[in-house]
Amino acid sequence: MDFSERIGERFKLMNRDEIRAWQSERLAITVKQAAKSPWYKAKFAEMGLNPEDIKSCDDIKKLPLTTKEDLRLSYPDKMLAVDKSEIVRLHTSSGTTGKPTAIFHTAQDIQNWAELMARSINLSGATDKDVLQNMSGYGMFTGGLGIHFGGERLGMMMIPAGPGNTPRHLMLIRDFGVTAIHATPSYAMHVADEMISNGEDPKALGLKYAFLGAEPYTEAMRLRLQELYGFKVYNSYGLSEMNGPGVAMECTYQNGMHIWEDSYIVEVINPETLEDVPEGEIGELVLTPIRRMGMPIIRYRTRDLTRIIPGKCECGLEHRRLARFVGRSDDMLIVRGVNIFPSRIEQVLMAEEWLGGNYVLHLTREDGKMDVMTIRVELAKDAMSGSVDVLKNRKAELGRKIKDAAGFTAIIELVEPGSLPVSMGKAKRVIDERDIF
Ligand code: ADP
Ligand code: ZN
């Protein structure tokens, strides 16, 4: 297989007209395929929808939305649209917000996913000459095998290191000429913090590319990581229900993630009214995979909040770009009547050089009435050696910045470097104990 085939070049280079024509063709096929599954067969019948009536993208609003709850109800296999003998792999989601969902793939589905992933990795400029160490969990989590097959498809040497064990990660990176890593941003930050605590410089690792995703993070976090390691951070988005990583990835302009519209039809809706929001406005991302045949999912409500960046990217690709995710709709906190995403706080913390990279937001309710947010954040290693007065002033100043950003006063607790829990996968940033009272 030549390079252009490995990365699906003909799909990558499609212009808007080609994308649209292809999407129409594929949507019609996908809907007919979905109708073979018990779930959609029943759903279409109940709505009086004839799959033959879906002829182009213009018909998409005739189709039902599918929620995470639907996936849970259809568990384990009511959305399966082929005979089980055609299935070669099962994945489940991480289960961050409840029972995991199960996704089946045919051999062709796996091929297509690997192609998307190879294309995504290559957007950064990384090639078959690069060595990619995957720090994601191998197993049901799609960040393991998903990235792995993509890297191999590109022809890279893959190191399936898996999560945890920082000293081993560092040894592999140094001994085998690793140039790229895939990890969660929180884990990449942890590795840097640990190196710095040991008097080591992450820059000396010589890494060039970091594909970071699986959890929301801010631009401030990206900048900090780039500065610490000297590599470029590419935001990477995916979810198990849509295969996994390889749904959207940043190019070298690092200005939003190109979502592969040859494989996913994109809608951004208002989660209340379910109507499209105007292009460029934030809403819930709804995706329809149009190249997956084993288990098609129609108009999947991801619960992830983002917006389409209007206009064409300087790199010339015509697949549109998604802006950095604000978070999931479920992540939004209501603190003293104020709606806030944890990322708003992170943005403030990560801009402070004297703070480390790990933090936790702890919510409690005072006397059953008042919400209290305690921000526990690690100090940077050097910050410990300064005078107590300097630290006190910095803390007071930080309190004011948080108040400006959040709209309420939070308690700030500065803790020693390395003292907060580290997650091997997705970071758990919020501990909400308000329901106990
Ligand atoms: P779960 O939904 O149980 O966590 P997954 O492992 O499939 O299972 O995770 C997919 C989710 O991870 C996405 O729906 C999204 O909320 C989050 N995610 C993935 N990549 C990013 C990213 N680059 N930025 C923000 N959130 C992300
Ligand atoms: Zn681009």
Side-chain angles (χ1 to χ4, degrees):
M1 200 190 300
D2 71 4
F3 184 73
S4 80
E5 209 178 322
R6 290 214 301 269
I7 64 161
E9 187 121 295
R10 77 183 177 98
F11 294 116
K12 176 182 160 185
L13 298 179
M14 278 178 168
N15 64 33
R16 291 309 307 168
D17 290 342
E18 286 163 337
I19 289 173
R20 204 173 160 74
W22 167 258
Q23 284 187 336
S24 290
E25 194 184 308
R26 292 303 309 179
L27 182 64
I29 294 169
T30 301
V31 170
K32 285 188 204 102
Q33 182 70 8
K36 293 179 189 163
S37 74
W39 177 270
Y40 284 110
K41 192 175 173 199
K43 188 91 195 165
F44 293 164
E46 180 193 312
M47 298 170 69
L49 184 117
N50 180 355
E52 301 287 340
D53 292 344
I54 306 299
K55 296 193 169 69
S56 84
C57 293
D58 297 331
D59 299 320
I60 196 157
K61 301 290 181 207
K62 294 180 188 159
L63 293 163
L65 288 158
T66 303
T67 62
K68 199 149 188 140
E69 188 52 28
D70 291 334
L71 282 180
R72 288 180 179 140
L73 289 171
S74 74
Y75 186 91
D77 58 7
K78 289 192 199 65
M79 283 194 197
L80 191 62
V82 296
D83 190 83
K84 272 228 175 91
S85 63
E86 286 186 50
I87 295 299
V88 300
R89 201 190 302 162
L90 170 74
H91 274 287
T92 59
S93 68
S94 306
T96 309
T97 58
K99 191 177 155 92
T101 53
I103 309 293
F104 297 93
H105 302 268
T106 64
Q108 188 60 51
D109 293 340
I110 293 287
Q111 287 282 324
N112 293 347
W113 178 13
E115 173 222 292
L116 278 180
M117 196 64 246
R119 193 196 301 175
S120 302
I121 295 171
N122 179 247
L123 265 194
S124 67
T127 65
D128 54 357
K129 311 251 176 342
D130 285 288
V131 178
L132 174 55
Q133 182 152 315
N134 190 5
M135 300 181 170
S136 283
Y138 277 68
M140 302 305 264
F141 178 51
T142 52
L145 291 175
I147 295 283
H148 190 97
F149 275 62
E152 283 190 357
R153 170 116 176 187
L154 190 58
M156 309 175 101
M157 179 165 97
M158 288 301 299
I159 304 188
N165 199 343
T166 307
R168 193 182 63 153
H169 275 305
L170 297 178
M171 181 197 77
L172 292 168
I173 291 172
R174 291 182 177 122
D175 292 353
F176 297 101
V178 173
T179 53
I181 58 163
H182 173 257
T184 55
S186 53
Y187 190 66
M189 183 55 87
H190 167 72
V191 172
D193 280 348
E194 207 168 307
M195 287 185 81
I196 292 164
S197 294
N198 295 332
E200 295 175 300
D201 181 5
K203 278 200 188 71
L205 294 172
L207 295 167
K208 292 201 283 197
Y209 312 95
F211 305 102
L212 305 184
E215 63 188 12
Y217 60 114
T218 55
E219 197 57 33
M221 177 77 101
R222 184 220 302 263
L223 294 175
R224 177 180 273 234
L225 285 164
Q226 293 194 149
E227 199 159 302
L228 287 171
Y229 283 96
F231 55 31
K232 287 248 153 65
V233 170
Y234 296 93
N235 196 3
S236 163
Y237 172 72
L239 61 166
S240 311
E241 294 82 359
M242 297 294 114
N243 294 343
V247 174
M249 180 76 96
E250 282 182 324
C251 67
T252 50
Y253 288 87
Q254 293 176 296
N255 186 15
M257 298 174 280
H258 288 285
I259 177 153
W260 299 120
E261 295 185 80
D262 59 291
S263 298
Y264 303 95
I265 295 182
V266 181
E267 298 168 78
V268 183
I269 65 167
N270 175 324
E272 315 266 293
T273 64
L274 308 182
E275 301 283 326
D276 280 343
V277 300
E279 194 180 58
E281 280 183 25
I282 292 183
E284 178 179 349
L285 185 65
V286 171
L287 296 175
T288 305
I290 47 174
R291 285 172 72 198
R292 193 169 72 197
M293 294 289 105
M295 182 173 163
I297 300 182
I298 306 292
R299 301 186 72 207
Y300 182 60
R301 288 187 63 177
T302 64
R303 304 201 281 190
D304 291 327
L305 303 174
T306 185
R307 64 188 180 87
I308 301 254
I309 299 175
K312 210 168 132 179
C313 182
E314 283 178 87
C315 75
L317 286 189
E318 300 204 15
H319 297 268
R320 286 176 299 170
R321 286 164 302 157
L322 301 180
R324 189 175 286 286
F325 284 84
V326 189
R328 305 185 196 232
S329 47
D330 330 54
D331 290 342
M332 195 182 72
L333 301 170
I334 302 177
V335 181
R336 298 190 198 170
V338 177
N339 294 355
I340 184 166
F341 281 93
S343 52
R344 192 78 196 86
I345 308 275
E346 180 183 298
Q347 188 78 25
V348 177
L349 300 179
M350 288 308 119
E352 301 293 325
E353 277 180 22
W354 55 282
L355 293 176
N358 201 357
Y359 69 95
V360 166
L361 310 180
H362 194 168
L363 291 163
T364 48
R365 188 161 289 161
E366 228 171 52
D367 302 330
K369 285 198 270 332
M370 193 64 148
D371 291 337
V372 177
M373 180 186 277
T374 307
I375 303 174
R376 242 169 243 132
V377 55
E378 288 182 9
L379 285 164
K381 194 181 166 237
D382 297 346
M384 303 275 289
S385 52
S387 85
V388 174
D389 276 347
V390 170
L391 212 51
K392 262 193 188 155
N393 290 339
R394 281 177 165 170
K395 188 176 158 183
E397 171 107 9
L398 179 64
R400 284 191 287 276
K401 287 182 184 165
I402 295 283
K403 169 111 208 270
D404 284 348
F408 54 82
T409 304
I411 297 172
I412 293 168
E413 272 181 29
L414 303 174
V415 301
E416 277 185 40
S419 61
L420 291 175
V422 179
S423 153
M424 294 306 144
K426 296 169 192 262
K428 187 158 171 39
R429 300 293 196 191
V430 179
I431 304 170
D432 195 339
E433 289 181 333
R434 288 178 296 182
D435 291 338
I436 293 171
F437 296 98

